[in-house]
Amino acid sequence: MAGDTPLSSRSDKLKKAISWVSETLQANPELSRNNLLDEALLRFDLSPADCEFLLKHFSE
């Protein structure tokens, strides 16, 4: 089935990471974004391209 491709799961991981980072920053704006992004990269097992995307859009 086309919906079960690795690309689809990679996209889901990135969406979950973006949501988690956004929610965490809203609840705790005093947290270090860099530390939070490092945690997200590990927590969601993101690819290098996904990591770069998060860093570009959420870095301080």
Side-chain angles (χ1 to χ4, degrees):
M1 189 175 231
D4 295 333
T5 63
L7 181 60
S8 173
S9 67
R10 189 179 80 147
S11 176
D12 289 342
K13 287 181 185 181
L14 182 58
K15 287 178 188 177
K16 288 177 183 177
I18 291 168
S19 178
W20 181 80
V21 170
S22 295
E23 290 171 9
T24 304
L25 283 173
Q26 283 182 338
N28 305 290
E30 73 282 356
L31 290 177
S32 164
R33 287 182 182 220
N34 289 332
N35 290 345
L36 191 62
L37 291 173
D38 287 343
E39 185 176 342
L41 303 180
L42 295 174
R43 180 181 286 229
F44 296 98
D45 190 30
L46 300 176
S47 71
D50 292 342
C51 293
E52 187 175 325
F53 177 86
L54 274 185
L55 292 171
K56 181 178 178 181
H57 289 88
F58 282 105
S59 63
E60 295 180 298

